[in-house]
Amino acid sequence: MTLCTDSQRQLEKSKQMVMDLEAELKEIQKASGRLRNLTQTTEEEGDRIFTELLSFIRTSHTEMITLVQSQMTTELNRIQGHLVDLEQEISKLKRKQSEVEHLSHTDDHIYFLQEVQSRWPTCNDFQSLTTNPQFSFGEVIKSLSSLTGHIKDIWRQETTRIFSAVTAEKILLPQEPKTREDFIQFLVPLSLDPNTVHRNLRLTEQNQAVACSIEPQSYPEHPDRFEWWAQVLSKEGLTGRCYWEVVWSGLYGVDLAVSYKDINRTGQGDDSGFGYNRYSWSLDCSIFRYALVHNNEETEISVPLSRRIGVYLDHRAGQLSFYSVSDTMILLHKVQTRFTQPLYPGFGLFQGSTAKIGQPQEGGSTQVVDRLKNNKTCINHRCLRTVMKSNKCLRFGKRGASSPK
């Protein structure tokens, strides 16, 4: 009977494997057609953009030539007008000069002086001009050369970025692991960075664990340290495929986050708190609920409470997944985006909370319990996050802690 059951199970397993492979075959075939369509669409859009760019350059070239020729015509007209005025003035002066020479033969000098004064005014209204020896269109050429240099620099930067974007795109990606054993293949060693930890967080277990502390710790000054938010980042920036686990405790729980390195470290604004900005993604864990928060927008997750959370990152594929780790891996939330920098795991803590980087040898069986159901007891987590910004009893403020109220 046992052999028959085992054989039946093996047969069912074999059938399932065939079905899975056939489904993968169909998906890959669809991907091939989709790739061709996307390639053609990209080429057509690229042709349109380059045609528009060339048209813009030609138009700008025509406008520049027209402007230079227009200025040349204006200056030539001024030259021609002044030449006419000069010729007329010269003719007039020569005529007067001839008259004066004729009068100079008279013996009546008084008459001669009177006639000269009347015919030859002492004030000449004619405006003389001189040529500008510095005149040239050199500034035009200089500006065009500078513009060309800037365009080449931008062009090189953008084409490098385009090349990287094209080569980074992969239509076939490795499947996300399914079992804990699969995930542990991508386990990465992590340690918390003492240069980033808030003064009211205490690092223990060789920087593998962190807890809130009423008494400020004597950490040295460092520009990477979080000054207001009770947060800490890991030393390691992650790319590629990575997995790590976190064990947490505390009534108000912890924020399990990943963040770009350039997240702000000072002040109590949104640009410093995990999940409140575009630089970080945070899974807020408490005994009341889970919520995924990014760019100040949150998605509530209704699942049973688990104290061990697994985090899987596929940086190239733009996937970030959070799992409840017990006898099975329960997906809590998956983020699909495009990551542009290495990601640093981090923790945000409340008073009474702890977080520890889990070790695989500790096992994955963790107690899963129902959450509190009494609405009078439960705290709205969104309100908690809002109050937490200004209430030092929940999140410690800059330079130290305030006693719980």
Side-chain angles (χ1 to χ4, degrees), residues 331-363:
L331 179 64
L332 301 177
H333 192 85
K334 178 186 287 189
V335 174
Q336 187 69 57
T337 186
R338 181 185 293 276
F339 300 119
T340 58
Q341 303 176 38
L343 290 170
Y344 290 77
F347 301 140
L349 279 74
F350 296 84
Q351 280 196 21
S353 300
T354 67
K356 177 184 176 182
I357 299 170
Q359 301 301 322
Q361 61 268 25
E362 295 172 346

Side-chain angles (χ1 to χ4, degrees), residues 45 51 54 74 88 123 134-135 167 193 213 239 243 255 274 281 283 314 332 371 375 400:
E45 184 65 9
T51 300
L54 291 172
T74 299
Q88 291 176 350
C123 180
Q134 304 298 324
F135 177 85
T167 54
D193 187 354
S213 170
T239 58
Y243 177 74
D255 297 342
F274 291 151
W281 293 256
L283 181 71
D314 189 336
L332 301 177
R371 298 184 183 277
N375 290 333

Side-chain angles (χ1 to χ4, degrees), residues 9 21 34 50 69 86 112 124 168 178 196-197 211-212 214 252 259 262 269 280 289 305 308 350 353 361 384 403:
R9 287 177 180 172
L21 290 175
R34 180 166 165 264
F50 272 103
Q69 289 181 342
L86 278 172
F112 171 75
N124 190 357
K178 292 182 173 59
T196 67
V197 64
C212 273
I214 297 297
Y252 300 118
S259 173
D262 51 7
S280 58
R289 67 160 200 176
L305 171 66
R308 180 180 285 265
F350 296 84
S353 300
Q361 61 268 25
L384 177 64
S403 299

Side-chain angles (χ1 to χ4, degrees), residues 342-388:
L343 290 170
Y344 290 77
F347 301 140
L349 279 74
F350 296 84
Q351 280 196 21
S353 300
T354 67
K356 177 184 176 182
I357 299 170
Q359 301 301 322
Q361 61 268 25
E362 295 172 346
S365 181
T366 304
Q367 183 182 12
V368 178
V369 298
D370 291 334
R371 298 184 183 277
L372 298 179
K373 300 297 184 182
N374 187 343
N375 290 333
K376 294 181 180 179
T377 303
C378 292
I379 298 177
N380 183 287
H381 204 70
R382 176 181 287 275
C383 293
L384 177 64
R385 286 179 65 89
T386 303
V387 171
M388 169 263 291

Side-chain angles (χ1 to χ4, degrees), residues 71-89:
Q71 184 64 16
M72 179 192 70
T73 301
T74 299
E75 291 302 306
L76 285 176
N77 288 338
R78 288 185 65 214
I79 290 173
Q80 188 61 38
H82 194 61
L83 287 175
V84 171
D85 292 342
L86 278 172
E87 289 174 351
Q88 291 176 350
E89 185 68 14

